[in-house]
Amino acid sequence: MLRQLIAGAVVATTAGTSFLLVPAANAAPEPSVQLGGVHDGQVTFDGLTELVIQRILVGDDVAASKYFSGKPVDDPVREQQILTSVRASAVQLGIDPDATAAFFQAQIDASKVVQRGLLAYWAANPDKAPTSGPDLNVIRQKLDAITTQLLAELVRVDHLRQSGLHCDIALVVADATGAARHHLDPLHRRALRTASTATC
């Protein structure tokens, strides 16, 4: 409830920004912010949120690939490989493996939000569907690179993630700023909310 109240206050500051009303799989992201966000000497979630949004946007390509291949959205084997890998990396990096796995489970769930939303939209609007499907193996290489960057950011913001109310406020500000910067439509905003559920 508190996070919702904070979000309402922050969103009010971004009123006037126009957003798409339907999923836009080919929307180009705005230039990336510099990772490792610090504002007025305080560690922020800006860099982490930027990577989270980049991963969410890659979900558009995953959806397009699966639209043509007919592969299901759920891929339990791949998901378990990711979670096993990030747990091992967390131990090596000195951060909590359970919290790290929960964070990446939220990223996986967010990608599914995008995939299911776009696949349903294209099914109802075939004239809006993509005309080609990217190679899923190439997409996964991109996701693996983002995973490596996300792990580095999790190390950097580890203390902030454990700061209670301060974490909640910092996350809402970073998410609202990132969503506005990338002009995320309602589907991708919903995915961002899902991706943020295990950050604090």
Side-chain angles (χ1 to χ4, degrees):
M1 176 62 72
L2 179 58
R3 188 175 296 176
Q4 290 174 341
L5 292 173
I6 297 168
V10 174
V11 169
T13 67
T14 60
T17 303
S18 60
F19 302 103
L20 300 174
L21 298 179
V22 295
N26 297 318
E30 300 258 327
S32 298
V33 299
Q34 184 175 1
L35 300 184
V38 177
H39 181 70
D40 291 336
Q42 298 293 320
V43 174
T44 71
F45 282 126
D46 290 352
L48 185 71
T49 298
E50 175 65 21
L51 290 169
V52 166
I53 292 174
Q54 286 181 22
R55 194 183 195 285
I56 286 170
L57 294 175
V58 173
D60 293 25
D61 291 334
V62 177
S65 177
K66 291 182 177 180
Y67 178 78
F68 282 92
S69 69
K71 291 182 178 179
V73 170
D74 292 297
D75 188 348
V77 174
R78 165 75 174 172
E79 292 170 22
Q80 190 55 55
Q81 288 173 343
I82 292 171
L83 296 178
T84 299
S85 175
V86 297
R87 278 181 175 277
S89 295
V91 172
Q92 294 178 342
L93 293 168
I95 56 178
D96 185 271
D98 292 335
T100 302
F103 174 85
F104 277 96
Q105 182 64 65
Q107 308 318 302
I108 293 168
D109 293 342
S111 181
K112 291 181 183 180
V113 168
V114 171
Q115 293 175 52
R116 291 195 175 102
L118 288 177
L119 290 171
Y121 179 71
W122 294 332
N125 303 273
D127 58 313
K128 304 291 186 182
T131 56
S132 63
D135 185 334
L136 191 56
N137 290 324
V138 173
I139 297 170
R140 284 176 172 173
Q141 291 176 8
K142 186 183 298 185
L143 289 172
D144 288 343
I146 294 175
T147 293
T148 299
Q149 292 178 289
L150 281 169
L151 284 165
E153 279 295 298
L154 288 177
V155 172
R156 190 185 64 80
V157 300
D158 187 52
H159 181 70
L160 179 56
R161 291 183 70 197
Q162 302 175 48
S163 63
L165 178 60
H166 184 56
C167 180
D168 289 336
I169 295 171
L171 180 61
V172 167
V173 170
D175 282 0
T177 302
R181 181 175 58 252
H182 284 272
H183 306 291
L184 296 186
D185 60 31
L187 174 64
H188 293 81
R189 283 174 170 265
R190 179 154 50 93
L192 179 57
R193 289 194 296 271
T194 298
S196 299
T197 55
T199 302
C200 291

